[in-house]
Amino acid sequence: MLQQTQVKTVIPYFKKFTKKYKTLESLSKANETQILKMWEGLGYYRRARNLLASAKLLVREHNNKFPNTLKEIKKLPGVGDYTANALMGFIHNYPTIALDGNVKRIFARYLNKKESKVNYERLIDSNKKNLFITNRNSDFVEALMEFGALICKPKDPKCSQCCLNKSCRYLKSSNKIKTNKRKKIKVMNYNIFCYVSKKKQIALTKDNEIKFLKNFNLPLIKEMKNNSVNKDWKFLKNYKNSISNLSLNINLYYKFSSKIPKSYNWYSLNNNKEFIPSFTKRIFNQVSTLF
Ligand code: SF4
């Protein structure tokens, strides 16, 4: 839940989630709609799907136990190097480092070397004796993350408070490296077409071609090309929506109709028991202004 999401946003979701699913087994018995409904509003829904798929796999193939090798952990859906190392540290107290952007920056600064010039694997491997000097390896994994977030921050590192400031090359150097810039936001333009009924309903389908919204209930959505739109569709408004590092510029159109294409279903604009992603909820809000 914490991936790309602030702690204060996550807390109520986490509490609700762990209250309902107290064990791996109970989670593994849930279905995707239930999990997505609990995740509603938190975004990045792939995390929820991967979590459920991982729970099912752990119950089915690992007898409810969490694997204790990196190789097995990496077989869980959505788990790559970073997460696998973090889990090995947190769960098994294994001496390891979860290399995310924050941690890479700490090493690069300490050596005053560009991140692209650091061979992190070799560096960690050849410094094991100096790095893993505690039995509290799970705390060490967490501590490095916190250190990157609070002390050796992306901007204005707090060198005067840093326990490494006596040996840090970045601090001593007159030619300090520049740390990696944040990823650029990519702007994309879409037309969204909503079938709307007089009963305050909107037609949604999972059959859309937009990769990052795959398998979600959405109205018809198309990349804006020359923006010539059939005049059956009425323009409602233009608005912006951000997803991850994408900024979506959206022109929203609507058409009152009682007939909808086969793959669509009607959804109430006000009251839905089913999971509706935040992206679609924003469309609901705009369309509601028609009534
Ligand atoms: S001294 Fe400054 S730059 Fe060096 S590791 Fe500490 S906070 Fe980072």
Side-chain angles (χ1 to χ4, degrees):
M1 284 181 178
L2 285 166
Q3 196 184 0
Q4 314 265 353
T5 312
Q6 289 186 338
V7 176
K8 68 172 191 290
T9 310
V10 163
I11 288 172
Y13 283 91
F14 181 78
K15 283 188 174 162
K16 206 170 99 187
F17 198 91
T18 46
K19 196 172 170 197
K20 184 158 169 76
Y21 302 108
K22 290 193 170 70
T23 64
L24 196 54
E25 198 162 9
S26 68
L27 177 59
S28 74
K29 286 178 184 153
N31 63 42
E32 193 173 290
T33 317
Q34 291 168 319
I35 298 295
L36 288 173
K37 189 70 193 166
M38 293 206 78
W39 210 275
E40 197 173 85
L42 202 52
Y44 299 97
Y45 296 100
R46 204 189 302 158
R47 300 176 297 184
R49 289 184 166 131
N50 285 336
L51 183 67
L52 178 63
S54 294
K56 287 185 190 294
L57 196 134
L58 289 169
V59 168
R60 198 176 58 238
E61 291 180 21
H62 294 273
N63 196 24
N64 271 342
K65 300 263 184 317
F66 207 85
N68 59 4
T69 63
L70 280 172
K71 193 175 162 207
E72 285 303 313
I73 295 178
K74 278 201 255 181
K75 287 182 186 165
L76 298 172
V79 175
D81 266 340
Y82 164 74
T83 313
N85 277 290
L87 291 169
M88 274 298 276
F90 292 154
I91 299 170
H92 298 298
N93 198 34
Y94 182 79
T96 188
I97 288 173
L99 272 175
D100 68 348
N102 277 333
V103 177
K104 282 185 177 171
R105 183 182 59 252
I106 300 168
F107 281 117
R109 282 223 185 106
Y110 186 71
L111 300 169
N112 200 38
K113 262 188 178 180
K114 276 188 175 180
E115 283 181 32
S116 57
K117 296 267 186 297
V118 181
N119 183 335
Y120 289 95
E121 230 168 81
R122 201 188 307 151
L123 181 74
I124 294 169
D125 206 49
S126 55
N127 284 287
K128 273 184 182 164
K129 274 191 188 155
N130 299 324
L131 285 168
F132 304 115
I133 51 169
T134 173
N135 290 328
R136 293 168 58 189
N137 293 307
S138 64
D139 288 341
F140 180 58
V141 175
E142 174 74 29
L144 264 182
M145 294 176 184
E146 296 293 320
F147 183 73
L150 303 173
I151 304 289
C152 199
K153 302 180 296 167
K155 264 191 181 174
D156 308 323
K158 293 185 172 174
C159 301
S160 62
Q161 296 173 30
C162 176
C163 56
L164 301 173
N165 61 12
K166 293 220 162 49
S167 49
C168 175
R169 290 191 193 162
Y170 176 89
L171 184 59
K172 286 183 186 157
S173 173
S174 54
N175 187 17
K176 296 189 192 325
I177 51 141
K178 288 201 172 68
T179 38
N180 281 358
K181 284 189 190 142
R182 282 183 150 244
K183 267 190 191 168
K184 266 200 175 170
I185 303 284
K186 195 173 167 192
V187 180
M188 298 182 85
N189 302 303
Y190 288 103
N191 287 330
I192 294 182
F193 303 94
C194 305
Y195 292 99
V196 186
S197 88
K198 299 274 183 213
K199 293 181 195 160
K200 295 190 182 175
Q201 289 173 314
I202 181 170
L204 304 178
T205 177
K206 284 190 177 171
D207 193 12
N208 75 75
E209 294 157 14
I210 312 297
K211 229 177 168 184
F212 56 88
L213 293 167
K214 214 174 151 197
N215 286 326
F216 285 127
N217 272 318
L218 297 164
L220 176 63
I221 171 163
K222 291 194 163 190
E223 232 176 295
M224 220 186 272
K225 285 193 176 134
N226 52 16
N227 213 21
S228 68
V229 170
N230 184 314
K231 50 182 191 299
D232 287 356
W233 294 101
K234 292 195 174 72
F235 178 72
L236 181 59
K237 74 179 291 184
N238 171 273
Y239 68 98
K240 309 267 184 288
N241 197 335
S242 302
I243 297 184
S244 189
N245 60 337
L246 298 175
S247 167
L248 310 182
N249 170 40
I250 292 165
N251 276 345
L252 190 63
Y253 295 84
Y254 71 97
K255 172 165 51 177
F256 278 101
S257 169
S258 53
K259 283 188 190 151
I260 48 176
K262 253 188 186 169
S263 64
Y264 286 69
N265 288 305
W266 287 112
Y267 288 78
S268 161
L269 281 170
N270 301 321
N271 208 344
N272 261 300
K273 285 200 178 107
E274 283 197 51
F275 159 73
I276 304 289
S278 321
F279 179 83
T280 310
K281 274 194 176 164
R282 276 202 76 185
I283 299 171
F284 278 26
N285 289 343
Q286 318 286 1
V287 172
S288 297
T289 58
L290 292 169
F291 296 94

